[in-house]
Amino acid sequence: TSRHFSKNDSQLSDEYKDRFFRFVNIVNKISKIKFEFQKESEKNFSLSNLMKELASEDLPNKYWLVNKVKELEKIKVVVN
């Protein structure tokens, strides 16, 4: 996977690896919220925590990540 490649590639800087892993972790959290069946209250809590985490992080493609979380919030409103 790209995680293993990045971890084992000695030409990539540690800063790049760190930012990449944090980005992938956020994407994984977004996927879990979207595709796993959670109680609605847990989803709300997860989305608000994720937005707080994004606000405090320096990530590549941060704007895209914020938009994905906002899309989930809109879906949540439509479903309810």
Side-chain angles (χ1 to χ4, degrees):
T1 64
S2 57
R3 256 188 217 241
H4 292 122
F5 170 77
S6 297
K7 183 178 179 181
N8 296 324
D9 190 346
S10 61
Q11 293 181 340
L12 298 176
S13 71
D14 288 340
E15 181 183 344
Y16 176 84
K17 289 177 186 179
D18 181 54
R19 289 176 54 129
F20 175 77
F21 289 127
R22 286 186 290 137
F23 175 82
V24 171
N25 286 337
I26 296 285
V27 170
N28 284 339
K29 289 177 184 180
I30 291 171
S31 297
K32 285 180 182 179
I33 291 170
K34 183 172 182 174
F35 295 110
E36 287 185 2
F37 296 103
Q38 296 177 342
K39 293 180 183 175
E40 199 58 37
S41 60
E42 290 175 2
K43 248 184 210 178
N44 291 338
F45 182 73
S46 296
L47 287 172
S48 64
N49 282 350
L50 197 49
M51 284 301 275
K52 288 177 187 174
E53 187 176 345
L54 283 170
S56 67
E57 291 280 347
D58 177 30
L59 296 167
N61 298 313
K62 184 176 184 174
Y63 182 73
W64 180 81
L65 292 169
V66 169
N67 281 335
K68 292 299 158 189
V69 173
K70 286 181 179 180
E71 286 176 16
L72 286 177
E73 290 173 339
K74 288 179 186 176
I75 290 170
K76 176 191 63 118
V77 170
V78 170
V79 170
N80 290 334

